[in-house]
Amino acid sequence: MIRSSAGVLNTRSIVLTVSACLMLFSATVFADVTVTGQIAITRSSNGVFDPLDILAAYQRTSPGSQQLGATIFRPSTDPRTPSIQATIVSGGGPGYVSSASSAQRTTPQSTGRGRNFELRADASVLMRWTDFIVSGPSGGPAMMPISANILLEGTAGLASSTIANGDSQDPGRSGWGSSASAAFTLGINGVPNGNVWALSSMDGGPVTTFGSGLFANFQGSVRGTTPSVMVPVNIPFSIQMSLTTSAGVYSPEGAGGFISAFVDFAHTGSFDTTGSAFVLPAGYTINSASAGVTNNSYIVPAPSVGALLGLGGLVATRRRRQRNVSSHVR
């Protein structure tokens, strides 16, 4: 139950769903996946923070493939008290990771500034495969450099309305903000390579975008190659792939209006689906049954985690409601 000076949220209307599927590879399992997620609210006043209010959370490590997600909706019975909605979803499987987050708050009527209020939705996945093998002509070197060809596809957006009922205490929307970010890391034989993409907006102003590594100049889809890493020949080694998405909205708790953020990489981060999965010296190839890589080609598995909780429908709803401040990339 969430209390404010304006009233109490009707927690009986909370909708919380958690879904999961688990696939085990036959015989010995050479892959494992860890998925985590959390939806939480923080409040503060004069630099003093209330205890974290965790609305939904999951964490699980399993062999093979796994997908988990949660959605929460807390409507308010009082037009002066925020209604909130958030979704988290993450999963991984042969050669891919996927994650998505969304957060939204709506207060039809303003009651003044009040305490600072933040709603966050964070989801992540870590996928590990331990049966990669580079093979080639006999008598060759014991170690050689390889690079991975990666496909990243995702979208993100921020939206907010004008202050409802012309809040005289906050005409400039001071203290309003939203953010959405994605972080992708690929580790070959213990050597990681990180990439970050982030959007943010403060006080109803323009959206600022930042991208690094594969996400530099990101416009919704990119194929790129990671730096070279030395790996053994004819000896199994591991590759890790991780993806984290975060969406957050914050404003004075009593401020009226609508604000939302979403980031959707459910379709996904993976090895490249066209051409070679890795850059190798001539005469060599690479295989991993657990990651879906055969003769240096990545075979796309079944549809990813995006359909699990219907995040696309939530995103579409947000797009229809975007006013004043918006950014959408695909």
Side-chain angles (χ1 to χ4, degrees):
M1 182 176 295
I2 301 177
R3 297 182 180 273
S4 74
S5 58
V8 179
L9 288 181
N10 179 8
T11 56
R12 291 178 297 178
S13 299
I14 293 175
V15 178
L16 175 62
T17 59
V18 177
S19 304
C21 68
L22 177 65
M23 179 181 73
L24 300 181
F25 300 106
S26 59
T28 304
V29 178
F30 293 103
D32 60 75
V33 56
T34 299
V35 290
T36 58
Q38 179 176 282
I39 300 171
I41 291 175
T42 58
R43 294 179 178 83
S44 65
S45 180
N46 298 322
V48 179
F49 287 83
D50 292 353
L52 187 68
D53 184 3
I54 299 176
L55 307 182
Y58 60 79
Q59 180 174 359
R60 182 179 297 174
T61 298
S62 298
S65 300
Q66 182 172 225
Q67 301 173 345
L68 287 175
T71 294
I72 189 162
F73 175 51
R74 283 189 174 182
S76 173
T77 57
D78 189 324
R80 298 165 298 177
T81 303
S83 295
I84 59 174
Q85 185 170 353
T87 293
I88 47 176
V89 59
S90 54
Y96 77 91
V97 288
S98 55
S99 182
S101 305
S102 66
Q104 173 184 309
R105 74 173 291 280
T106 305
T107 307
Q109 181 177 334
S110 174
T111 60
R113 294 187 58 84
R115 296 178 297 174
N116 294 325
F117 174 98
E118 181 178 14
L119 172 65
R120 289 197 58 83
D122 303 299
S124 66
V125 54
L126 171 63
M127 193 78 214
R128 183 172 67 105
W129 306 279
T130 61
D131 62 341
F132 275 92
I133 296 181
V134 171
S135 57
S138 59
M143 301 284 290
M144 69 171 43
I146 69 168
S147 302
N149 293 321
I150 298 297
L151 171 64
L152 293 171
E153 293 184 299
T155 181
L158 310 176
S160 64
S161 70
T162 56
I163 298 294
N165 301 322
D167 184 0
S168 61
Q169 299 185 50
D170 194 13
R173 204 176 343 192
S174 174
W176 284 61
S178 55
S179 63
S181 64
F184 175 85
T185 300
L186 184 77
I188 300 177
N189 201 27
V191 180
N193 172 253
N195 311 265
V196 176
W197 185 51
L199 287 72
S200 62
S201 175
M202 282 295 298
D203 300 336
V207 173
T208 300
T209 304
F210 169 82
S212 68
L214 296 174
F215 282 125
N217 303 313
F218 184 70
Q219 294 294 321
S221 179
V222 64
R223 285 181 162 87
T225 302
T226 64
S228 296
V229 174
M230 299 298 292
V231 301
V233 178
N234 295 320
I235 297 175
F237 63 93
S238 66
I239 290 182
Q240 292 187 345
M241 186 182 291
S242 68
L243 179 63
T244 298
T245 56
S246 300
V249 295
Y250 44 96
S251 65
E253 190 168 26
F258 163 83
I259 187 168
S260 72
F262 75 87
V263 54
D264 184 356
F265 275 80
H267 303 287
T268 59
S270 71
F271 298 113
D272 198 354
T273 55
T274 61
S276 299
F278 292 83
V279 179
L280 301 169
Y284 288 82
T285 190
I286 188 171
N287 292 276
S288 168
S290 64
V293 176
T294 301
N295 194 23
N296 200 18
S297 293
Y298 172 55
I299 302 173
V300 181
S304 64
V305 69
L308 181 63
L309 295 176
L311 181 62
L314 295 176
V315 170
T317 299
R318 284 164 178 75
R319 291 176 190 161
R320 289 194 297 269
R321 300 190 61 178
Q322 287 182 353
R323 300 180 181 91
N324 288 0
V325 178
S326 64
S327 173
H328 174 63
V329 180
R330 179 70 192 188

mmCIF file of all heavy atoms in Angstrom, residues 77-125:
data_model
loop_
_atom_site.group_PDB
_atom_site.id
_atom_site.type_symbol
_atom_site.label_atom_id
_atom_site.label_comp_id
_atom_site.label_asym_id
_atom_site.label_seq_id
_atom_site.Cartn_x
_atom_site.Cartn_y
_atom_site.Cartn_z
ATOM 1 N N THR A 77 -7.351 5.435 -6.786
ATOM 2 C CA THR A 77 -8.758 5.800 -6.666
ATOM 3 C C THR A 77 -8.922 7.291 -6.396
ATOM 4 O O THR A 77 -10.050 7.790 -6.361
ATOM 5 C CB THR A 77 -9.407 5.011 -5.516
ATOM 6 O OG1 THR A 77 -8.695 5.270 -4.300
ATOM 7 C CG2 THR A 77 -9.382 3.520 -5.810
ATOM 8 N N ASP A 78 -7.818 7.983 -6.203
ATOM 9 C CA ASP A 78 -7.826 9.413 -5.925
ATOM 10 C C ASP A 78 -7.117 10.129 -7.070
ATOM 11 O O ASP A 78 -5.959 9.826 -7.366
ATOM 12 C CB ASP A 78 -7.109 9.695 -4.601
ATOM 13 C CG ASP A 78 -7.257 11.140 -4.141
ATOM 14 O OD1 ASP A 78 -7.274 12.033 -5.013
ATOM 15 O OD2 ASP A 78 -7.337 11.369 -2.922
ATOM 16 N N PRO A 79 -7.765 11.089 -7.771
ATOM 17 C CA PRO A 79 -7.127 11.751 -8.913
ATOM 18 C C PRO A 79 -5.887 12.546 -8.539
ATOM 19 O O PRO A 79 -5.128 12.956 -9.412
ATOM 20 C CB PRO A 79 -8.227 12.662 -9.451
ATOM 21 C CG PRO A 79 -9.140 12.885 -8.290
ATOM 22 C CD PRO A 79 -9.123 11.594 -7.521
ATOM 23 N N ARG A 80 -5.653 12.769 -7.239
ATOM 24 C CA ARG A 80 -4.475 13.506 -6.802
ATOM 25 C C ARG A 80 -3.310 12.599 -6.437
ATOM 26 O O ARG A 80 -2.247 13.066 -6.027
ATOM 27 C CB ARG A 80 -4.847 14.382 -5.603
ATOM 28 C CG ARG A 80 -5.907 15.431 -5.894
ATOM 29 C CD ARG A 80 -6.481 15.998 -4.616
ATOM 30 N NE ARG A 80 -7.144 14.963 -3.820
ATOM 31 C CZ ARG A 80 -7.683 15.182 -2.622
ATOM 32 N NH1 ARG A 80 -7.600 16.382 -2.068
ATOM 33 N NH2 ARG A 80 -8.278 14.191 -1.979
ATOM 34 N N THR A 81 -3.498 11.277 -6.548
ATOM 35 C CA THR A 81 -2.487 10.302 -6.169
ATOM 36 C C THR A 81 -2.018 9.553 -7.422
ATOM 37 O O THR A 81 -2.845 9.175 -8.255
ATOM 38 C CB THR A 81 -3.045 9.297 -5.155
ATOM 39 O OG1 THR A 81 -3.540 10.027 -4.027
ATOM 40 C CG2 THR A 81 -1.981 8.328 -4.698
ATOM 41 N N PRO A 82 -0.713 9.325 -7.609
ATOM 42 C CA PRO A 82 -0.220 8.714 -8.852
ATOM 43 C C PRO A 82 -0.748 7.303 -9.076
ATOM 44 O O PRO A 82 -0.816 6.489 -8.150
ATOM 45 C CB PRO A 82 1.301 8.700 -8.663
ATOM 46 C CG PRO A 82 1.581 9.710 -7.616
ATOM 47 C CD PRO A 82 0.395 9.698 -6.706
ATOM 48 N N SER A 83 -1.100 7.018 -10.322
ATOM 49 C CA SER A 83 -1.258 5.648 -10.791
ATOM 50 C C SER A 83 0.061 5.248 -11.445
ATOM 51 O O SER A 83 0.678 6.055 -12.155
ATOM 52 C CB SER A 83 -2.386 5.540 -11.811
ATOM 53 O OG SER A 83 -3.632 5.846 -11.239
ATOM 54 N N ILE A 84 0.498 4.020 -11.214
ATOM 55 C CA ILE A 84 1.785 3.586 -11.747
ATOM 56 C C ILE A 84 1.640 2.277 -12.495
ATOM 57 O O ILE A 84 0.757 1.455 -12.184
ATOM 58 C CB ILE A 84 2.838 3.428 -10.630
ATOM 59 C CG1 ILE A 84 2.370 2.409 -9.578
ATOM 60 C CG2 ILE A 84 3.147 4.770 -9.982
ATOM 61 C CD1 ILE A 84 3.435 2.111 -8.539
ATOM 62 N N GLN A 85 2.493 2.099 -13.498
ATOM 63 C CA GLN A 85 2.525 0.868 -14.285
ATOM 64 C C GLN A 85 3.955 0.621 -14.733
ATOM 65 O O GLN A 85 4.649 1.545 -15.160
ATOM 66 C CB GLN A 85 1.600 0.965 -15.495
ATOM 67 C CG GLN A 85 1.491 -0.325 -16.297
ATOM 68 C CD GLN A 85 0.390 -0.265 -17.340
ATOM 69 O OE1 GLN A 85 -0.388 0.695 -17.378
ATOM 70 N NE2 GLN A 85 0.310 -1.271 -18.179
ATOM 71 N N ALA A 86 4.417 -0.633 -14.637
ATOM 72 C CA ALA A 86 5.791 -0.951 -15.026
ATOM 73 C C ALA A 86 5.881 -2.401 -15.472
ATOM 74 O O ALA A 86 5.103 -3.253 -15.020
ATOM 75 C CB ALA A 86 6.761 -0.696 -13.875
ATOM 76 N N THR A 87 6.847 -2.660 -16.343
ATOM 77 C CA THR A 87 7.086 -4.011 -16.855
ATOM 78 C C THR A 87 8.584 -4.268 -16.907
ATOM 79 O O THR A 87 9.363 -3.379 -17.264
ATOM 80 C CB THR A 87 6.492 -4.191 -18.257
ATOM 81 O OG1 THR A 87 5.069 -4.121 -18.193
ATOM 82 C CG2 THR A 87 6.889 -5.532 -18.860
ATOM 83 N N ILE A 88 8.985 -5.480 -16.545
ATOM 84 C CA ILE A 88 10.357 -5.941 -16.727
ATOM 85 C C ILE A 88 10.308 -7.327 -17.348
ATOM 86 O O ILE A 88 9.405 -8.122 -17.049
ATOM 87 C CB ILE A 88 11.136 -6.000 -15.390
ATOM 88 C CG1 ILE A 88 10.302 -6.699 -14.293
ATOM 89 C CG2 ILE A 88 11.548 -4.608 -14.952
ATOM 90 C CD1 ILE A 88 11.037 -6.885 -12.984
ATOM 91 N N VAL A 89 11.256 -7.624 -18.217
ATOM 92 C CA VAL A 89 11.306 -8.943 -18.853
ATOM 93 C C VAL A 89 12.724 -9.179 -19.338
ATOM 94 O O VAL A 89 13.382 -8.267 -19.841
ATOM 95 C CB VAL A 89 10.288 -9.030 -20.013
ATOM 96 C CG1 VAL A 89 10.560 -7.966 -21.064
ATOM 97 C CG2 VAL A 89 10.265 -10.407 -20.640
ATOM 98 N N SER A 90 13.249 -10.388 -19.133
ATOM 99 C CA SER A 90 14.605 -10.703 -19.582
ATOM 100 C C SER A 90 14.733 -12.203 -19.805
ATOM 101 O O SER A 90 14.024 -13.002 -19.185
ATOM 102 C CB SER A 90 15.649 -10.223 -18.564
ATOM 103 O OG SER A 90 15.391 -10.730 -17.262
ATOM 104 N N GLY A 91 15.629 -12.559 -20.707
ATOM 105 C CA GLY A 91 15.820 -13.973 -21.003
ATOM 106 C C GLY A 91 17.037 -14.192 -21.874
ATOM 107 O O GLY A 91 17.632 -13.260 -22.413
ATOM 108 N N GLY A 92 17.402 -15.455 -22.022
ATOM 109 C CA GLY A 92 18.545 -15.809 -22.858
ATOM 110 C C GLY A 92 18.409 -17.231 -23.362
ATOM 111 O O GLY A 92 17.694 -18.055 -22.780
ATOM 112 N N GLY A 93 19.080 -17.512 -24.455
ATOM 113 C CA GLY A 93 19.041 -18.834 -25.065
ATOM 114 C C GLY A 93 20.209 -19.007 -26.004
ATOM 115 O O GLY A 93 21.206 -18.279 -25.925
ATOM 116 N N PRO A 94 20.104 -19.931 -26.961
ATOM 117 C CA PRO A 94 21.220 -20.204 -27.867
ATOM 118 C C PRO A 94 21.636 -18.968 -28.673
ATOM 119 O O PRO A 94 20.925 -18.519 -29.557
ATOM 120 C CB PRO A 94 20.658 -21.298 -28.787
ATOM 121 C CG PRO A 94 19.568 -21.949 -27.998
ATOM 122 C CD PRO A 94 18.969 -20.835 -27.191
ATOM 123 N N GLY A 95 22.751 -18.369 -28.310
ATOM 124 C CA GLY A 95 23.310 -17.272 -29.072
ATOM 125 C C GLY A 95 22.675 -15.921 -28.892
ATOM 126 O O GLY A 95 23.021 -14.979 -29.608
ATOM 127 N N TYR A 96 21.762 -15.754 -27.928
ATOM 128 C CA TYR A 96 21.102 -14.459 -27.792
ATOM 129 C C TYR A 96 20.789 -14.132 -26.339
ATOM 130 O O TYR A 96 20.697 -15.000 -25.469
ATOM 131 C CB TYR A 96 19.794 -14.425 -28.597
ATOM 132 C CG TYR A 96 18.640 -15.165 -27.936
ATOM 133 C CD1 TYR A 96 17.770 -14.493 -27.085
ATOM 134 C CD2 TYR A 96 18.424 -16.518 -28.153
ATOM 135 C CE1 TYR A 96 16.712 -15.162 -26.462
ATOM 136 C CE2 TYR A 96 17.381 -17.186 -27.550
ATOM 137 C CZ TYR A 96 16.528 -16.504 -26.706
ATOM 138 O OH TYR A 96 15.484 -17.177 -26.090
ATOM 139 N N VAL A 97 20.602 -12.829 -26.082
ATOM 140 C CA VAL A 97 20.062 -12.328 -24.824
ATOM 141 C C VAL A 97 19.011 -11.278 -25.173
ATOM 142 O O VAL A 97 19.083 -10.628 -26.219
ATOM 143 C CB VAL A 97 21.153 -11.700 -23.937
ATOM 144 C CG1 VAL A 97 22.062 -12.759 -23.356
ATOM 145 C CG2 VAL A 97 21.965 -10.656 -24.698
ATOM 146 N N SER A 98 18.025 -11.110 -24.296
ATOM 147 C CA SER A 98 16.979 -10.130 -24.557
ATOM 148 C C SER A 98 16.467 -9.558 -23.246
ATOM 149 O O SER A 98 16.422 -10.242 -22.221
ATOM 150 C CB SER A 98 15.821 -10.768 -25.345
ATOM 151 O OG SER A 98 15.335 -11.911 -24.679
ATOM 152 N N SER A 99 16.101 -8.258 -23.276
ATOM 153 C CA SER A 99 15.654 -7.589 -22.059
ATOM 154 C C SER A 99 14.841 -6.361 -22.433
ATOM 155 O O SER A 99 15.071 -5.735 -23.472
ATOM 156 C CB SER A 99 16.874 -7.182 -21.218
ATOM 157 O OG SER A 99 16.490 -6.574 -20.006
ATOM 158 N N ALA A 100 13.872 -6.011 -21.581
ATOM 159 C CA ALA A 100 13.052 -4.830 -21.818
ATOM 160 C C ALA A 100 12.526 -4.303 -20.487
ATOM 161 O O ALA A 100 12.285 -5.075 -19.552
ATOM 162 C CB ALA A 100 11.887 -5.151 -22.755
ATOM 163 N N SER A 101 12.354 -2.975 -20.401
ATOM 164 C CA SER A 101 11.861 -2.330 -19.182
ATOM 165 C C SER A 101 10.970 -1.155 -19.567
ATOM 166 O O SER A 101 11.225 -0.468 -20.560
ATOM 167 C CB SER A 101 13.020 -1.805 -18.321
ATOM 168 O OG SER A 101 13.955 -2.824 -18.010
ATOM 169 N N SER A 102 9.935 -0.903 -18.760
ATOM 170 C CA SER A 102 9.091 0.278 -18.968
ATOM 171 C C SER A 102 8.563 0.760 -17.632
ATOM 172 O O SER A 102 8.355 -0.028 -16.700
ATOM 173 C CB SER A 102 7.929 -0.028 -19.917
ATOM 174 O OG SER A 102 7.034 -0.962 -19.328
ATOM 175 N N ALA A 103 8.354 2.080 -17.515
ATOM 176 C CA ALA A 103 7.840 2.682 -16.281
ATOM 177 C C ALA A 103 6.960 3.870 -16.652
ATOM 178 O O ALA A 103 7.285 4.636 -17.562
ATOM 179 C CB ALA A 103 8.984 3.135 -15.373
ATOM 180 N N GLN A 104 5.866 4.041 -15.914
ATOM 181 C CA GLN A 104 4.920 5.121 -16.202
ATOM 182 C C GLN A 104 4.200 5.547 -14.928
ATOM 183 O O GLN A 104 3.826 4.705 -14.107
ATOM 184 C CB GLN A 104 3.892 4.637 -17.228
ATOM 185 C CG GLN A 104 2.745 5.598 -17.491
ATOM 186 C CD GLN A 104 1.729 5.006 -18.446
ATOM 187 O OE1 GLN A 104 2.088 4.525 -19.512
ATOM 188 N NE2 GLN A 104 0.467 5.020 -18.066
ATOM 189 N N ARG A 105 4.024 6.853 -14.750
ATOM 190 C CA ARG A 105 3.195 7.372 -13.658
ATOM 191 C C ARG A 105 2.259 8.432 -14.212
ATOM 192 O O ARG A 105 2.610 9.210 -15.100
ATOM 193 C CB ARG A 105 4.045 7.967 -12.536
ATOM 194 C CG ARG A 105 4.675 9.315 -12.877
ATOM 195 C CD ARG A 105 5.368 9.979 -11.707
ATOM 196 N NE ARG A 105 4.456 10.439 -10.686
ATOM 197 C CZ ARG A 105 3.760 11.567 -10.734
ATOM 198 N NH1 ARG A 105 3.841 12.347 -11.807
ATOM 199 N NH2 ARG A 105 2.984 11.922 -9.741
ATOM 200 N N THR A 106 1.032 8.454 -13.683
ATOM 201 C CA THR A 106 0.015 9.407 -14.118
ATOM 202 C C THR A 106 -0.719 9.944 -12.902
ATOM 203 O O THR A 106 -1.184 9.164 -12.060
ATOM 204 C CB THR A 106 -1.003 8.752 -15.067
ATOM 205 O OG1 THR A 106 -0.300 8.159 -16.168
ATOM 206 C CG2 THR A 106 -2.001 9.768 -15.602
ATOM 207 N N THR A 107 -0.808 11.260 -12.801
ATOM 208 C CA THR A 107 -1.589 11.909 -11.748
ATOM 209 C C THR A 107 -2.511 12.934 -12.415
ATOM 210 O O THR A 107 -2.028 13.971 -12.890
ATOM 211 C CB THR A 107 -0.692 12.606 -10.715
ATOM 212 O OG1 THR A 107 0.272 11.684 -10.224
ATOM 213 C CG2 THR A 107 -1.527 13.134 -9.543
ATOM 214 N N PRO A 108 -3.803 12.665 -12.498
ATOM 215 C CA PRO A 108 -4.707 13.577 -13.206
ATOM 216 C C PRO A 108 -4.776 14.972 -12.600
ATOM 217 O O PRO A 108 -4.972 15.952 -13.310
ATOM 218 C CB PRO A 108 -6.064 12.870 -13.110
ATOM 219 C CG PRO A 108 -5.733 11.431 -12.879
ATOM 220 C CD PRO A 108 -4.488 11.442 -12.058
ATOM 221 N N GLN A 109 -4.623 15.091 -11.288
ATOM 222 C CA GLN A 109 -4.827 16.383 -10.622
ATOM 223 C C GLN A 109 -3.622 16.715 -9.756
ATOM 224 O O GLN A 109 -3.143 15.882 -8.987
ATOM 225 C CB GLN A 109 -6.097 16.342 -9.769
ATOM 226 C CG GLN A 109 -6.410 17.652 -9.052
ATOM 227 C CD GLN A 109 -7.716 17.564 -8.285
ATOM 228 O OE1 GLN A 109 -8.593 16.789 -8.632
ATOM 229 N NE2 GLN A 109 -7.837 18.364 -7.237
ATOM 230 N N SER A 110 -3.146 17.959 -9.847
ATOM 231 C CA SER A 110 -1.987 18.374 -9.074
ATOM 232 C C SER A 110 -2.372 18.757 -7.651
ATOM 233 O O SER A 110 -3.421 19.358 -7.412
ATOM 234 C CB SER A 110 -1.298 19.561 -9.745
ATOM 235 O OG SER A 110 -0.258 20.048 -8.942
ATOM 236 N N THR A 111 -1.468 18.382 -6.707
ATOM 237 C CA THR A 111 -1.648 18.788 -5.307
ATOM 238 C C THR A 111 -0.423 19.536 -4.793
ATOM 239 O O THR A 111 -0.219 19.643 -3.595
ATOM 240 C CB THR A 111 -1.894 17.550 -4.422
ATOM 241 O OG1 THR A 111 -0.775 16.673 -4.513
ATOM 242 C CG2 THR A 111 -3.157 16.821 -4.837
ATOM 243 N N GLY A 112 0.420 20.017 -5.707
ATOM 244 C CA GLY A 112 1.651 20.674 -5.283
ATOM 245 C C GLY A 112 2.828 19.742 -5.408
ATOM 246 O O GLY A 112 2.718 18.617 -5.867
ATOM 247 N N ARG A 113 4.009 20.190 -4.971
ATOM 248 C CA ARG A 113 5.228 19.442 -5.222
ATOM 249 C C ARG A 113 5.351 18.189 -4.365
ATOM 250 O O ARG A 113 5.503 17.097 -4.873
ATOM 251 C CB ARG A 113 6.436 20.347 -5.006
ATOM 252 C CG ARG A 113 6.523 21.474 -6.024
ATOM 253 C CD ARG A 113 7.819 22.237 -5.864
ATOM 254 N NE ARG A 113 8.985 21.360 -6.021
ATOM 255 C CZ ARG A 113 9.499 21.043 -7.179
ATOM 256 N NH1 ARG A 113 8.955 21.478 -8.294
ATOM 257 N NH2 ARG A 113 10.562 20.272 -7.236
ATOM 258 N N GLY A 114 5.317 18.304 -3.063
ATOM 259 C CA GLY A 114 5.458 17.135 -2.210
ATOM 260 C C GLY A 114 6.852 16.537 -2.265
ATOM 261 O O GLY A 114 7.815 17.167 -2.700
ATOM 262 N N ARG A 115 6.968 15.281 -1.841
ATOM 263 C CA ARG A 115 8.253 14.593 -1.837
ATOM 264 C C ARG A 115 8.683 14.222 -3.257
ATOM 265 O O ARG A 115 7.877 14.158 -4.182
ATOM 266 C CB ARG A 115 8.167 13.325 -0.990
ATOM 267 C CG ARG A 115 7.889 13.572 0.475
ATOM 268 C CD ARG A 115 7.785 12.259 1.219
ATOM 269 N NE ARG A 115 6.655 11.456 0.744
ATOM 270 C CZ ARG A 115 6.394 10.224 1.142
ATOM 271 N NH1 ARG A 115 7.207 9.637 2.018
ATOM 272 N NH2 ARG A 115 5.355 9.572 0.698
ATOM 273 N N ASN A 116 9.976 13.970 -3.421
ATOM 274 C CA ASN A 116 10.467 13.452 -4.691
ATOM 275 C C ASN A 116 10.051 11.995 -4.831
ATOM 276 O O ASN A 116 10.111 11.216 -3.872
ATOM 277 C CB ASN A 116 11.988 13.574 -4.770
ATOM 278 C CG ASN A 116 12.450 15.013 -4.795
ATOM 279 O OD1 ASN A 116 11.782 15.863 -5.379
ATOM 280 N ND2 ASN A 116 13.569 15.293 -4.153
ATOM 281 N N PHE A 117 9.655 11.613 -6.030
ATOM 282 C CA PHE A 117 9.104 10.287 -6.305
ATOM 283 C C PHE A 117 9.802 9.717 -7.528
ATOM 284 O O PHE A 117 9.903 10.386 -8.556
ATOM 285 C CB PHE A 117 7.602 10.420 -6.567
ATOM 286 C CG PHE A 117 6.916 9.152 -7.005
ATOM 287 C CD1 PHE A 117 6.234 8.374 -6.080
ATOM 288 C CD2 PHE A 117 6.914 8.750 -8.330
ATOM 289 C CE1 PHE A 117 5.577 7.214 -6.484
ATOM 290 C CE2 PHE A 117 6.275 7.593 -8.745
ATOM 291 C CZ PHE A 117 5.595 6.832 -7.812
ATOM 292 N N GLU A 118 10.312 8.479 -7.426
ATOM 293 C CA GLU A 118 10.940 7.820 -8.571
ATOM 294 C C GLU A 118 10.450 6.392 -8.685
ATOM 295 O O GLU A 118 10.429 5.638 -7.711
ATOM 296 C CB GLU A 118 12.464 7.809 -8.452
ATOM 297 C CG GLU A 118 13.143 7.139 -9.646
ATOM 298 C CD GLU A 118 14.656 7.159 -9.581
ATOM 299 O OE1 GLU A 118 15.198 7.455 -8.488
ATOM 300 O OE2 GLU A 118 15.291 6.868 -10.600
ATOM 301 N N LEU A 119 10.049 6.010 -9.905
ATOM 302 C CA LEU A 119 9.663 4.644 -10.239
ATOM 303 C C LEU A 119 10.698 4.103 -11.209
ATOM 304 O O LEU A 119 10.967 4.707 -12.250
ATOM 305 C CB LEU A 119 8.273 4.625 -10.882
ATOM 306 C CG LEU A 119 7.803 3.280 -11.464
ATOM 307 C CD1 LEU A 119 7.621 2.233 -10.365
ATOM 308 C CD2 LEU A 119 6.501 3.475 -12.251
ATOM 309 N N ARG A 120 11.300 2.945 -10.867
ATOM 310 C CA ARG A 120 12.334 2.340 -11.701
ATOM 311 C C ARG A 120 11.976 0.908 -12.045
ATOM 312 O O ARG A 120 11.416 0.173 -11.225
ATOM 313 C CB ARG A 120 13.695 2.359 -11.006
ATOM 314 C CG ARG A 120 14.335 3.728 -10.891
ATOM 315 C CD ARG A 120 15.812 3.608 -10.587
ATOM 316 N NE ARG A 120 16.494 2.846 -11.619
ATOM 317 C CZ ARG A 120 16.915 3.387 -12.773
ATOM 318 N NH1 ARG A 120 16.711 4.666 -13.019
ATOM 319 N NH2 ARG A 120 17.539 2.648 -13.653
ATOM 320 N N ALA A 121 12.346 0.532 -13.275
ATOM 321 C CA ALA A 121 12.167 -0.837 -13.749
ATOM 322 C C ALA A 121 13.489 -1.290 -14.363
ATOM 323 O O ALA A 121 13.951 -0.715 -15.351
ATOM 324 C CB ALA A 121 11.044 -0.902 -14.778
ATOM 325 N N ASP A 122 14.123 -2.295 -13.761
ATOM 326 C CA ASP A 122 15.427 -2.779 -14.195
ATOM 327 C C ASP A 122 15.360 -4.276 -14.482
ATOM 328 O O ASP A 122 14.807 -5.043 -13.678
ATOM 329 C CB ASP A 122 16.489 -2.526 -13.119
ATOM 330 C CG ASP A 122 16.591 -1.058 -12.745
ATOM 331 O OD1 ASP A 122 16.909 -0.252 -13.625
ATOM 332 O OD2 ASP A 122 16.340 -0.731 -11.570
ATOM 333 N N ALA A 123 15.925 -4.699 -15.611
ATOM 334 C CA ALA A 123 15.955 -6.114 -15.970
ATOM 335 C C ALA A 123 17.310 -6.440 -16.586
ATOM 336 O O ALA A 123 17.914 -5.596 -17.261
ATOM 337 C CB ALA A 123 14.832 -6.446 -16.949
ATOM 338 N N SER A 124 17.782 -7.661 -16.364
ATOM 339 C CA SER A 124 19.078 -8.040 -16.924
ATOM 340 C C SER A 124 19.151 -9.543 -17.138
ATOM 341 O O SER A 124 18.402 -10.322 -16.540
ATOM 342 C CB SER A 124 20.223 -7.592 -16.006
ATOM 343 O OG SER A 124 20.184 -8.297 -14.776
ATOM 344 N N VAL A 125 20.087 -9.938 -18.004
ATOM 345 C CA VAL A 125 20.320 -11.350 -18.289
ATOM 346 C C VAL A 125 21.806 -11.548 -18.537
ATOM 347 O O VAL A 125 22.475 -10.696 -19.138
ATOM 348 C CB VAL A 125 19.489 -11.820 -19.507
ATOM 349 C CG1 VAL A 125 19.739 -10.924 -20.722
ATOM 350 C CG2 VAL A 125 19.792 -13.277 -19.846
#
